[in-house]
Amino acid sequence: MDDCIAVADTGGQTVVASSSQIYNELARTRPDLLEELKKPWVFYQSQDYDTDGTPLITNAVDDKLVFQFSRLPITGFRSDTRNQSIPPPSAGRLEAMSLIEDLAWKNGLALPCQPGDVAFINNLCMLHARTSFDLDGDGNALLSSRHLVKLMLRDPGLAWELPKSLKWLPERIYGQNRTDGTRTEEWQLSVEIGDSLPDGHIWAGTGNYANG
């Protein structure tokens, strides 16, 4: 869920894309890459949960398509550098990630968010990103008042039953994270300039990195 507190003067729109539509286009045009996405991928963030890797595409119960994708947990970003003990993505996998992002931008829908709006997004079957902020004459992002608060919500009665390969996901987001068996949360209600991703070209889904 995204809670819109303020919008940017220029750029910075939230965009969503259908994972099923991306899947269908890959099946029609590049079935070879689709098969690669069904194989286990290693995310440096998830090594404590799933050391054997996780497919980017899998099925939940009732044959629901789950599309888990974000480039950043695979390639690393800024201080979250990639674990050098993990083999780098192959050329085929880099091509697959780039094609997913191209298809997401091609088929994406910009949400016309205004202050006070709330957007509910099924993170298991939708990808989300934001457009770039406009730049000044020196190539720097213009100061913006865009402010979204993201909440990861889960209704146990309505939540999709995940396959074994993704059982670690709700535990990472909602499970205990303290040695005494409880959970603590850190709410990022304010962001310093430079904390966000200025290029706006990162797509994410299924609880991984999200841009902006």
Side-chain angles (χ1 to χ4, degrees):
M1 183 188 83
D2 284 340
D3 181 8
C4 182
I5 297 177
V7 296
D9 295 328
T10 56
Q13 280 189 299
T14 297
V15 186
V16 296
S18 166
S19 298
S20 295
Q21 187 174 23
I22 294 172
Y23 179 96
N24 289 337
E25 289 212 30
L26 288 172
R28 180 175 58 85
T29 61
R30 292 299 304 272
D32 57 318
L33 294 183
L34 196 60
E35 290 304 313
E36 189 66 33
L37 296 173
K38 296 177 182 178
K39 298 176 182 178
W41 289 52
V42 176
F43 298 86
Y44 72 83
Q45 282 188 311
S46 63
Q47 290 312 289
D48 291 340
Y49 301 88
D50 186 18
T51 56
D52 295 328
T54 303
L56 296 193
I57 294 177
T58 187
N59 290 97
V61 175
D62 298 330
D63 208 32
K64 296 184 177 74
L65 176 68
V66 176
F67 204 113
Q68 179 185 225
F69 175 75
S70 178
R71 180 185 291 268
L72 299 187
I74 299 171
T75 61
F77 180 77
R78 289 183 180 170
S79 61
D80 291 324
T81 56
R82 196 172 194 281
N83 186 340
Q84 296 303 309
S85 67
I86 301 173
S90 65
R93 293 195 167 190
L94 291 173
E95 181 185 9
M97 288 190 288
S98 295
L99 183 54
I100 289 171
E101 292 171 335
D102 289 344
L103 291 174
W105 286 117
K106 173 186 174 183
N107 299 298
L109 174 67
L111 302 182
C113 294
Q114 296 297 319
D117 288 348
V118 176
F120 289 91
I121 300 171
N122 185 340
N123 215 36
L124 296 176
C125 65
M126 300 290 290
L127 299 184
H128 52 90
R130 66 162 170 80
T131 60
S132 300
F133 293 120
D134 288 349
L135 305 179
D136 61 21
D138 297 323
N140 299 313
L142 296 172
L143 295 181
S144 173
S145 60
R146 179 185 188 268
H147 189 178
L148 297 182
V149 175
K150 177 185 292 183
L151 302 177
M152 303 294 289
L153 306 179
R154 182 175 184 269
D155 184 331
L158 298 176
W160 290 7
E161 185 177 344
L162 297 177
K164 182 179 179 181
S165 62
L166 286 177
K167 290 294 186 182
W168 58 269
L169 180 61
E171 180 63 25
R172 189 191 76 180
I173 299 174
Y174 309 107
Q176 64 187 40
N177 61 2
R178 302 178 64 177
T179 56
D180 62 0
T182 61
R183 181 173 184 85
T184 183
E185 297 285 355
E186 180 177 341
W187 296 84
Q188 188 179 14
L189 298 180
S190 63
V191 179
E192 297 295 330
I193 295 175
D195 286 351
S196 186
L197 307 180
D199 60 9
H201 286 279
I202 306 297
W203 283 89
T206 321
N208 285 316
Y209 265 114
N211 187 1

